[in-house]
Amino acid sequence: MTAVVLASASPSRRRILAGSGITPHVIVSDVDEAAVEAAHPDADVRTLAGVLAEAKGRAVLDRILTGAAEIPGDSGTAVLIASDSILDLGGRPVGKPHTAEATRRVWEEMGGTRAHLHTGHCVARLDRGAPVGSPAPDAGPAAAGHGQAGWGLTGITVETASTVIRTARPSPAELEAYIATGEPLEVAGALTIDGFGGAFVTGIEGDHHNVIGLSLPVLRRLVTGLGVFWPSLWDARD
């Protein structure tokens, strides 16, 4: 069985993995997203999602490789998953609004329209005792590293997936009730389809899991490309 590390505190992302038979070990990246965005002022929204996902992944990788964070268990191979979701609203990135007023502004522009939700996926493979600079078979761009705990980084790759979201326009009273739940304040684009906000989504084009925070088909493709058998991520069954 391959160990899985999720570089996110998102309950939705954990639920997506759990629903596909994967129980990850969570190590939160604590990346300063605003600083990363400021360092890439010319990046479009889709590109920015990938940049942020990679920044989160590399932050957690650094902690593992220096021994500041541990991967429990005795697996010889581990897969690290990091991601970031951003709503593209007319070419403008919309992350978590955090406040009621910001949420109202997002919905004033987004309600009754269509927008793109981009989720960047960063996947890395680590192997115990991997020689420095030795990439896994069929790995993506390799970045050599050898950790104090015996882990070596043998491959890392990034891909962004996009989904079109069509929304209804909630009435003022509905929007205030939605804001009062607290849900839209801490999700990308002030909306999630797997909660109270699902009633305001009239349709999507693309992978619905991508809207929630992780695209399983993308993850499978990236994991396989790093030479890891996807079913090896599933929890052991008696």
Side-chain angles (χ1 to χ4, degrees):
M1 180 178 169
T2 300
V4 178
V5 175
L6 177 63
S8 172
S10 166
S12 295
R13 292 188 174 106
R14 289 200 302 272
R15 284 195 295 269
I16 291 172
L17 292 177
S20 62
I22 300 169
T23 301
H25 175 62
V26 175
I27 304 176
V28 181
S29 67
D30 295 325
V31 162
D32 185 340
E33 296 183 23
V36 175
E37 290 186 32
H40 297 82
D42 298 325
D44 59 34
V45 182
R46 181 182 171 88
T47 299
L48 185 59
V51 168
L52 284 164
E54 184 172 3
K56 293 177 179 180
R58 289 191 179 277
V60 172
L61 282 171
D62 285 346
R63 291 166 61 189
I64 294 170
L65 294 173
T66 59
E70 298 182 356
I71 302 175
D74 57 2
S75 296
T77 298
V79 166
L80 182 143
I81 298 168
S83 69
D84 190 84
S85 298
I86 310 176
L87 185 75
D88 185 339
L89 202 53
R92 177 172 59 87
V94 180
K96 300 173 184 177
H98 297 303
T99 68
E101 183 55 37
T103 301
R104 292 187 190 98
R105 289 197 298 269
V106 171
W107 272 98
E108 284 173 4
E109 184 176 352
M110 178 175 66
T113 65
R114 67 199 300 271
H116 289 81
L117 192 288
H118 305 295
T119 296
H121 301 72
C122 175
V123 175
R125 172 177 173 169
L126 300 99
D127 291 282
R128 290 191 192 273
V132 174
S134 175
D138 302 318
H146 195 77
Q148 295 177 2
W151 289 105
L153 174 60
T154 50
I156 183 168
T157 186
V158 179
E159 182 176 329
T160 297
S162 303
T163 303
V164 175
I165 305 172
R166 296 191 299 275
T167 61
R169 182 175 292 280
S171 69
E174 286 176 327
L175 180 56
E176 291 306 312
Y178 185 37
I179 291 172
T181 67
E183 179 184 272
L185 278 64
E186 299 303 327
V187 291
L191 173 70
T192 182
I193 65 173
D194 62 336
F196 295 104
F200 305 126
V201 177
T202 60
I204 65 170
E205 299 170 22
D207 181 2
H208 74 286
H209 281 131
N210 192 58
V211 181
I212 302 172
L214 287 172
S215 170
L216 291 171
V218 168
L219 288 180
R220 174 183 168 275
R221 182 164 58 249
L222 296 182
V223 167
T224 301
L226 290 173
V228 178
F229 185 47
W230 174 256
S232 74
L233 275 60
W234 298 342
D235 297 340
R237 297 290 191 264
D238 294 333

